[in-house]
Amino acid sequence: MKSPVVKRSIVVAGHKTSVSLEEAFWNGMKEISGLRDLTLSELVGEIDRNRQQGNLSSAIRLFVLDYFRTRATAAAPPDAKPQA
């Protein structure tokens, strides 16, 4: 059975590193980088510089989650109740 986690090499701040993420997170990163007119490497570099702790893969997952959660909240009707 093929793992849902995809490992890719990426250059961050001039250094090549490997990042393991589920395909959905890679797709989210591509969407965000396109909307922000950044390369994937530039976006990952930004995430890397701003992370407080943990490994890079975890920081990317949290970034993507926060990005889409914020976008969903902004698009919700004013009277919508938050889901638990």
Side-chain angles (χ1 to χ4, degrees):
M1 183 173 170
K2 187 177 176 186
S3 171
V5 176
V6 178
K7 187 174 191 172
R8 295 192 180 149
S9 294
I10 192 161
V11 177
V12 179
H15 297 92
K16 190 174 181 180
T17 189
S18 295
V19 178
S20 298
L21 295 171
E22 294 77 8
E23 192 65 36
F25 285 101
W26 283 116
N27 292 337
M29 290 286 292
K30 289 177 193 172
E31 183 178 338
I32 295 165
S33 66
L35 291 169
R36 295 180 64 185
D37 198 29
L38 298 171
T39 66
L40 209 51
S41 290
E42 289 169 335
L43 183 58
V44 172
E46 182 181 308
I47 294 166
D48 188 41
R49 284 189 302 277
N50 293 322
R51 70 180 159 137
Q52 302 296 314
Q53 59 190 11
N55 65 43
L56 183 55
S57 294
S58 294
I60 291 171
R61 285 184 186 96
L62 291 172
F63 174 85
V64 172
L65 175 65
D66 183 61
Y67 177 86
F68 286 106
R69 182 181 281 168
T70 300
R71 207 164 98 175
T73 302
D79 61 345
K81 294 181 182 177
Q83 302 254 338

